[in-house]
PDB file of all heavy atoms in Angstrom:
ATOM      1  N   GLY A   1      -7.459 -19.217   9.495  1.00  0.00           N
ATOM      2  CA  GLY A   1      -7.667 -17.875   9.187  1.00  0.00           C
ATOM      3  C   GLY A   1      -6.364 -17.019   9.823  1.00  0.00           C
ATOM      4  O   GLY A   1      -5.957 -16.107   9.096  1.00  0.00           O
ATOM      5  N   LEU A   2      -5.885 -17.469  11.048  1.00  0.00           N
ATOM      6  CA  LEU A   2      -4.829 -16.800  11.552  1.00  0.00           C
ATOM      7  C   LEU A   2      -3.543 -16.944  10.823  1.00  0.00           C
ATOM      8  O   LEU A   2      -2.728 -16.087  10.734  1.00  0.00           O
ATOM      9  CB  LEU A   2      -4.651 -17.203  13.024  1.00  0.00           C
ATOM     10  CG  LEU A   2      -5.795 -16.874  14.056  1.00  0.00           C
ATOM     11  CD1 LEU A   2      -5.602 -17.491  15.392  1.00  0.00           C
ATOM     12  CD2 LEU A   2      -6.087 -15.474  14.080  1.00  0.00           C
ATOM     13  N   ALA A   3      -3.466 -18.216  10.310  1.00  0.00           N
ATOM     14  CA  ALA A   3      -2.283 -18.480   9.626  1.00  0.00           C
ATOM     15  C   ALA A   3      -1.989 -17.623   8.240  1.00  0.00           C
ATOM     16  O   ALA A   3      -0.855 -17.278   7.877  1.00  0.00           O
ATOM     17  CB  ALA A   3      -2.231 -19.929   9.176  1.00  0.00           C
ATOM     18  N   ILE A   4      -3.194 -17.381   7.588  1.00  0.00           N
ATOM     19  CA  ILE A   4      -3.061 -16.606   6.407  1.00  0.00           C
ATOM     20  C   ILE A   4      -3.170 -15.047   6.578  1.00  0.00           C
ATOM     21  O   ILE A   4      -3.086 -14.306   5.673  1.00  0.00           O
ATOM     22  CB  ILE A   4      -4.010 -16.975   5.360  1.00  0.00           C
ATOM     23  CG1 ILE A   4      -5.475 -16.747   5.847  1.00  0.00           C
ATOM     24  CG2 ILE A   4      -4.030 -18.485   5.081  1.00  0.00           C
ATOM     25  CD1 ILE A   4      -6.534 -17.007   4.699  1.00  0.00           C
ATOM     26  N   ALA A   5      -3.337 -14.613   7.803  1.00  0.00           N
ATOM     27  CA  ALA A   5      -3.521 -13.215   8.105  1.00  0.00           C
ATOM     28  C   ALA A   5      -2.421 -12.388   7.607  1.00  0.00           C
ATOM     29  O   ALA A   5      -2.520 -11.263   7.070  1.00  0.00           O
ATOM     30  CB  ALA A   5      -3.818 -13.045   9.688  1.00  0.00           C
ATOM     31  N   PRO A   6      -1.101 -12.891   7.765  1.00  0.00           N
ATOM     32  CA  PRO A   6       0.002 -12.093   7.321  1.00  0.00           C
ATOM     33  C   PRO A   6       0.185 -12.062   5.845  1.00  0.00           C
ATOM     34  O   PRO A   6       1.253 -11.543   5.372  1.00  0.00           O
ATOM     35  CB  PRO A   6       1.224 -12.643   8.100  1.00  0.00           C
ATOM     36  CG  PRO A   6       0.657 -13.648   8.983  1.00  0.00           C
ATOM     37  CD  PRO A   6      -0.549 -14.034   8.488  1.00  0.00           C
ATOM     38  N   THR A   7      -0.617 -12.796   5.047  1.00  0.00           N
ATOM     39  CA  THR A   7      -0.256 -12.950   3.606  1.00  0.00           C
ATOM     40  C   THR A   7      -0.841 -11.849   2.605  1.00  0.00           C
ATOM     41  O   THR A   7      -0.679 -11.955   1.485  1.00  0.00           O
ATOM     42  CB  THR A   7      -0.855 -14.287   3.067  1.00  0.00           C
ATOM     43  OG1 THR A   7      -2.298 -14.307   3.317  1.00  0.00           O
ATOM     44  CG2 THR A   7      -0.288 -15.368   3.912  1.00  0.00           C
ATOM     45  N   ALA A   8      -1.501 -10.829   3.256  1.00  0.00           N
ATOM     46  CA  ALA A   8      -2.002  -9.729   2.314  1.00  0.00           C
ATOM     47  C   ALA A   8      -0.830  -9.072   1.567  1.00  0.00           C
ATOM     48  O   ALA A   8       0.204  -8.789   2.212  1.00  0.00           O
ATOM     49  CB  ALA A   8      -2.870  -8.789   3.117  1.00  0.00           C
ATOM     50  N   PRO A   9      -1.014  -8.668   0.367  1.00  0.00           N
ATOM     51  CA  PRO A   9       0.142  -8.066  -0.267  1.00  0.00           C
ATOM     52  C   PRO A   9       0.222  -6.657   0.189  1.00  0.00           C
ATOM     53  O   PRO A   9      -0.691  -6.007   0.524  1.00  0.00           O
ATOM     54  CB  PRO A   9      -0.365  -8.012  -1.787  1.00  0.00           C
ATOM     55  CG  PRO A   9      -1.868  -8.190  -1.765  1.00  0.00           C
ATOM     56  CD  PRO A   9      -2.140  -9.009  -0.554  1.00  0.00           C
ATOM     57  N   ARG A  10       1.556  -6.206   0.135  1.00  0.00           N
ATOM     58  CA  ARG A  10       1.893  -4.739   0.506  1.00  0.00           C
ATOM     59  C   ARG A  10       1.798  -4.009  -0.851  1.00  0.00           C
ATOM     60  O   ARG A  10       2.638  -4.148  -1.697  1.00  0.00           O
ATOM     61  CB  ARG A  10       3.216  -4.706   1.150  1.00  0.00           C
ATOM     62  CG  ARG A  10       3.441  -5.478   2.461  1.00  0.00           C
ATOM     63  CD  ARG A  10       4.748  -5.024   3.252  1.00  0.00           C
ATOM     64  NE  ARG A  10       4.643  -3.655   3.763  1.00  0.00           N
ATOM     65  CZ  ARG A  10       5.651  -3.034   3.994  1.00  0.00           C
ATOM     66  NH1 ARG A  10       6.981  -3.484   3.799  1.00  0.00           N
ATOM     67  NH2 ARG A  10       5.623  -1.800   4.504  1.00  0.00           N
ATOM     68  N   PHE A  11       0.936  -2.974  -0.882  1.00  0.00           N
ATOM     69  CA  PHE A  11       0.707  -2.205  -2.144  1.00  0.00           C
ATOM     70  C   PHE A  11       1.941  -1.297  -2.200  1.00  0.00           C
ATOM     71  O   PHE A  11       2.280  -0.488  -1.272  1.00  0.00           O
ATOM     72  CB  PHE A  11      -0.631  -1.531  -1.981  1.00  0.00           C
ATOM     73  CG  PHE A  11      -1.732  -2.466  -1.881  1.00  0.00           C
ATOM     74  CD1 PHE A  11      -2.787  -2.037  -0.988  1.00  0.00           C
ATOM     75  CD2 PHE A  11      -1.929  -3.723  -2.458  1.00  0.00           C
ATOM     76  CE1 PHE A  11      -3.905  -2.877  -0.750  1.00  0.00           C
ATOM     77  CE2 PHE A  11      -2.866  -4.432  -2.237  1.00  0.00           C
ATOM     78  CZ  PHE A  11      -3.928  -4.083  -1.376  1.00  0.00           C
ATOM     79  N   ASP A  12       2.516  -1.172  -3.478  1.00  0.00           N
ATOM     80  CA  ASP A  12       3.518  -0.250  -3.727  1.00  0.00           C
ATOM     81  C   ASP A  12       3.061   0.984  -4.201  1.00  0.00           C
ATOM     82  O   ASP A  12       3.628   2.024  -4.069  1.00  0.00           O
ATOM     83  CB  ASP A  12       4.526  -0.919  -4.742  1.00  0.00           C
ATOM     84  CG  ASP A  12       5.321  -2.021  -4.113  1.00  0.00           C
ATOM     85  OD1 ASP A  12       5.685  -2.009  -2.974  1.00  0.00           O
ATOM     86  OD2 ASP A  12       5.396  -3.143  -4.932  1.00  0.00           O
ATOM     87  N   VAL A  13       1.853   1.042  -4.872  1.00  0.00           N
ATOM     88  CA  VAL A  13       1.183   2.253  -5.337  1.00  0.00           C
ATOM     89  C   VAL A  13      -0.221   2.177  -5.005  1.00  0.00           C
ATOM     90  O   VAL A  13      -0.859   1.152  -5.083  1.00  0.00           O
ATOM     91  CB  VAL A  13       1.376   2.290  -6.888  1.00  0.00           C
ATOM     92  CG1 VAL A  13       0.530   3.459  -7.412  1.00  0.00           C
ATOM     93  CG2 VAL A  13       2.835   2.443  -7.273  1.00  0.00           C
ATOM     94  N   MET A  14      -0.691   3.236  -4.481  1.00  0.00           N
ATOM     95  CA  MET A  14      -2.150   3.522  -4.156  1.00  0.00           C
ATOM     96  C   MET A  14      -2.685   4.817  -4.719  1.00  0.00           C
ATOM     97  O   MET A  14      -2.025   5.846  -4.463  1.00  0.00           O
ATOM     98  CB  MET A  14      -2.466   3.408  -2.687  1.00  0.00           C
ATOM     99  CG  MET A  14      -1.859   2.128  -1.967  1.00  0.00           C
ATOM    100  SD  MET A  14      -2.202   2.187  -0.171  1.00  0.00           S
ATOM    101  CE  MET A  14      -3.965   1.674  -0.270  1.00  0.00           C
ATOM    102  N   VAL A  15      -3.810   4.700  -5.396  1.00  0.00           N
ATOM    103  CA  VAL A  15      -4.399   5.936  -6.093  1.00  0.00           C
ATOM    104  C   VAL A  15      -5.926   6.026  -5.615  1.00  0.00           C
ATOM    105  O   VAL A  15      -6.666   5.123  -5.798  1.00  0.00           O
ATOM    106  CB  VAL A  15      -4.301   5.904  -7.572  1.00  0.00           C
ATOM    107  CG1 VAL A  15      -4.759   7.141  -8.208  1.00  0.00           C
ATOM    108  CG2 VAL A  15      -2.929   5.551  -8.045  1.00  0.00           C
ATOM    109  N   ALA A  16      -6.244   7.326  -5.089  1.00  0.00           N
ATOM    110  CA  ALA A  16      -7.690   7.533  -4.759  1.00  0.00           C
ATOM    111  C   ALA A  16      -8.455   7.629  -5.957  1.00  0.00           C
ATOM    112  O   ALA A  16      -7.978   7.907  -7.039  1.00  0.00           O
ATOM    113  CB  ALA A  16      -7.773   8.829  -4.020  1.00  0.00           C
ATOM    114  N   GLU A  17      -9.771   7.521  -5.898  1.00  0.00           N
ATOM    115  CA  GLU A  17     -10.624   7.400  -7.011  1.00  0.00           C
ATOM    116  C   GLU A  17     -10.593   8.736  -7.845  1.00  0.00           C
ATOM    117  O   GLU A  17     -10.986   8.746  -9.098  1.00  0.00           O
ATOM    118  CB  GLU A  17     -12.019   6.938  -6.618  1.00  0.00           C
ATOM    119  CG  GLU A  17     -12.841   7.905  -5.709  1.00  0.00           C
ATOM    120  CD  GLU A  17     -14.309   7.528  -5.460  1.00  0.00           C
ATOM    121  OE1 GLU A  17     -14.529   6.372  -5.808  1.00  0.00           O
ATOM    122  OE2 GLU A  17     -15.062   8.306  -4.923  1.00  0.00           O
ATOM    123  N   ASP A  18     -10.363   9.804  -7.155  1.00  0.00           N
ATOM    124  CA  ASP A  18     -10.445  11.089  -7.908  1.00  0.00           C
ATOM    125  C   ASP A  18      -9.011  11.385  -8.464  1.00  0.00           C
ATOM    126  O   ASP A  18      -8.793  12.514  -9.062  1.00  0.00           O
ATOM    127  CB  ASP A  18     -10.932  12.318  -6.961  1.00  0.00           C
ATOM    128  CG  ASP A  18     -10.030  12.340  -5.782  1.00  0.00           C
ATOM    129  OD1 ASP A  18      -9.058  11.624  -5.492  1.00  0.00           O
ATOM    130  OD2 ASP A  18     -10.335  13.253  -4.885  1.00  0.00           O
ATOM    131  N   GLY A  19      -8.031  10.609  -8.138  1.00  0.00           N
ATOM    132  CA  GLY A  19      -6.728  10.846  -8.653  1.00  0.00           C
ATOM    133  C   GLY A  19      -5.842  11.846  -7.947  1.00  0.00           C
ATOM    134  O   GLY A  19      -4.677  12.171  -8.330  1.00  0.00           O
ATOM    135  N   GLU A  20      -6.464  12.426  -6.996  1.00  0.00           N
ATOM    136  CA  GLU A  20      -5.788  13.589  -6.253  1.00  0.00           C
ATOM    137  C   GLU A  20      -4.847  13.174  -5.164  1.00  0.00           C
ATOM    138  O   GLU A  20      -3.823  13.817  -4.862  1.00  0.00           O
ATOM    139  CB  GLU A  20      -6.812  14.485  -5.696  1.00  0.00           C
ATOM    140  CG  GLU A  20      -7.752  15.319  -6.654  1.00  0.00           C
ATOM    141  CD  GLU A  20      -6.790  16.150  -7.465  1.00  0.00           C
ATOM    142  OE1 GLU A  20      -6.242  17.214  -6.826  1.00  0.00           O
ATOM    143  OE2 GLU A  20      -6.754  16.116  -8.615  1.00  0.00           O
ATOM    144  N   THR A  21      -5.082  11.971  -4.522  1.00  0.00           N
ATOM    145  CA  THR A  21      -4.107  11.419  -3.524  1.00  0.00           C
ATOM    146  C   THR A  21      -3.570  10.210  -4.056  1.00  0.00           C
ATOM    147  O   THR A  21      -4.307   9.312  -4.467  1.00  0.00           O
ATOM    148  CB  THR A  21      -4.906  11.203  -2.210  1.00  0.00           C
ATOM    149  OG1 THR A  21      -5.762  12.387  -1.799  1.00  0.00           O
ATOM    150  CG2 THR A  21      -3.987  10.826  -1.085  1.00  0.00           C
ATOM    151  N   ILE A  22      -2.157  10.213  -3.939  1.00  0.00           N
ATOM    152  CA  ILE A  22      -1.406   9.101  -4.466  1.00  0.00           C
ATOM    153  C   ILE A  22      -0.279   8.644  -3.376  1.00  0.00           C
ATOM    154  O   ILE A  22       0.216   9.572  -2.709  1.00  0.00           O
ATOM    155  CB  ILE A  22      -0.779   9.475  -5.749  1.00  0.00           C
ATOM    156  CG1 ILE A  22      -1.677   9.948  -6.859  1.00  0.00           C
ATOM    157  CG2 ILE A  22       0.138   8.303  -6.337  1.00  0.00           C
ATOM    158  CD1 ILE A  22      -1.178  10.610  -7.955  1.00  0.00           C
ATOM    159  N   ALA A  23      -0.123   7.383  -3.254  1.00  0.00           N
ATOM    160  CA  ALA A  23       0.979   6.947  -2.316  1.00  0.00           C
ATOM    161  C   ALA A  23       1.859   5.974  -3.165  1.00  0.00           C
ATOM    162  O   ALA A  23       1.318   5.281  -3.990  1.00  0.00           O
ATOM    163  CB  ALA A  23       0.260   6.131  -1.213  1.00  0.00           C
ATOM    164  N   ALA A  24       3.132   6.045  -2.811  1.00  0.00           N
ATOM    165  CA  ALA A  24       4.190   5.282  -3.426  1.00  0.00           C
ATOM    166  C   ALA A  24       5.071   4.797  -2.423  1.00  0.00           C
ATOM    167  O   ALA A  24       5.426   5.651  -1.444  1.00  0.00           O
ATOM    168  CB  ALA A  24       4.862   5.955  -4.518  1.00  0.00           C
ATOM    169  N   ARG A  25       5.478   3.475  -2.328  1.00  0.00           N
ATOM    170  CA  ARG A  25       6.394   3.077  -1.415  1.00  0.00           C
ATOM    171  C   ARG A  25       7.911   3.493  -1.681  1.00  0.00           C
ATOM    172  O   ARG A  25       8.287   3.180  -2.815  1.00  0.00           O
ATOM    173  CB  ARG A  25       6.340   1.516  -1.342  1.00  0.00           C
ATOM    174  CG  ARG A  25       6.829   0.924  -0.037  1.00  0.00           C
ATOM    175  CD  ARG A  25       6.640  -0.510   0.173  1.00  0.00           C
ATOM    176  NE  ARG A  25       5.218  -0.778   0.337  1.00  0.00           N
ATOM    177  CZ  ARG A  25       4.495  -0.499   1.347  1.00  0.00           C
ATOM    178  NH1 ARG A  25       5.078  -0.076   2.402  1.00  0.00           N
ATOM    179  NH2 ARG A  25       3.197  -0.745   1.374  1.00  0.00           N
ATOM    180  N   GLY A  26       8.490   4.152  -0.892  1.00  0.00           N
ATOM    181  CA  GLY A  26       9.745   4.782  -1.057  1.00  0.00           C
ATOM    182  C   GLY A  26      10.890   3.812  -0.670  1.00  0.00           C
ATOM    183  O   GLY A  26      10.712   2.634  -0.320  1.00  0.00           O
ATOM    184  N   PRO A  27      12.079   4.281  -0.877  1.00  0.00           N
ATOM    185  CA  PRO A  27      13.177   3.509  -0.457  1.00  0.00           C
ATOM    186  C   PRO A  27      13.342   2.922   0.880  1.00  0.00           C
ATOM    187  O   PRO A  27      13.857   1.883   1.276  1.00  0.00           O
ATOM    188  CB  PRO A  27      14.384   4.409  -0.852  1.00  0.00           C
ATOM    189  CG  PRO A  27      13.911   5.506  -1.757  1.00  0.00           C
ATOM    190  CD  PRO A  27      12.450   5.616  -1.320  1.00  0.00           C
ATOM    191  N   ASP A  28      12.725   3.676   1.854  1.00  0.00           N
ATOM    192  CA  ASP A  28      12.701   3.231   3.248  1.00  0.00           C
ATOM    193  C   ASP A  28      11.655   2.241   3.578  1.00  0.00           C
ATOM    194  O   ASP A  28      11.452   1.780   4.674  1.00  0.00           O
ATOM    195  CB  ASP A  28      12.530   4.426   4.173  1.00  0.00           C
ATOM    196  CG  ASP A  28      11.197   5.263   3.890  1.00  0.00           C
ATOM    197  OD1 ASP A  28      10.523   4.842   2.950  1.00  0.00           O
ATOM    198  OD2 ASP A  28      10.995   6.285   4.633  1.00  0.00           O
ATOM    199  N   GLY A  29      10.897   1.762   2.556  1.00  0.00           N
ATOM    200  CA  GLY A  29       9.826   0.811   2.746  1.00  0.00           C
ATOM    201  C   GLY A  29       8.536   1.365   3.250  1.00  0.00           C
ATOM    202  O   GLY A  29       7.532   0.649   3.449  1.00  0.00           O
ATOM    203  N   ARG A  30       8.348   2.675   3.416  1.00  0.00           N
ATOM    204  CA  ARG A  30       7.283   3.290   3.932  1.00  0.00           C
ATOM    205  C   ARG A  30       6.442   3.920   2.762  1.00  0.00           C
ATOM    206  O   ARG A  30       7.004   4.309   1.832  1.00  0.00           O
ATOM    207  CB  ARG A  30       7.393   4.343   5.119  1.00  0.00           C
ATOM    208  CG  ARG A  30       8.129   3.645   6.284  1.00  0.00           C
ATOM    209  CD  ARG A  30       7.942   4.588   7.495  1.00  0.00           C
ATOM    210  NE  ARG A  30       8.490   5.887   7.280  1.00  0.00           N
ATOM    211  CZ  ARG A  30       8.551   6.848   8.189  1.00  0.00           C
ATOM    212  NH1 ARG A  30       7.937   6.630   9.376  1.00  0.00           N
ATOM    213  NH2 ARG A  30       9.159   8.044   7.894  1.00  0.00           N
ATOM    214  N   LEU A  31       5.143   4.152   2.874  1.00  0.00           N
ATOM    215  CA  LEU A  31       4.353   4.932   1.893  1.00  0.00           C
ATOM    216  C   LEU A  31       4.706   6.419   1.949  1.00  0.00           C
ATOM    217  O   LEU A  31       4.674   6.858   3.042  1.00  0.00           O
ATOM    218  CB  LEU A  31       2.960   4.628   2.028  1.00  0.00           C
ATOM    219  CG  LEU A  31       2.286   3.168   1.776  1.00  0.00           C
ATOM    220  CD1 LEU A  31       0.900   3.005   1.909  1.00  0.00           C
ATOM    221  CD2 LEU A  31       2.664   2.833   0.193  1.00  0.00           C
TER     222      LEU A  31
END
C-alpha cells in the first residue's frame, strides 16, 4: 500500500459538477 501511494495521477483539468469552478494545470505545474 505504501509503495503505490505516490502513483495517483495528477489531474491537469478539474471541473466542479455545476461547471462554475474549473482548475487547469498551468506552465508552473500548479493548478
Side-chain angles (χ1 to χ4, degrees):
L2 296 178
I4 66 173
T7 62
R10 295 190 75 199
F11 304 139
D12 294 317
V13 174
M14 305 183 74
V15 185
E17 65 176 10
D18 60 1
E20 290 296 303
T21 306
I22 301 169
R25 194 168 301 282
D28 60 355
R30 300 195 302 177
L31 290 176

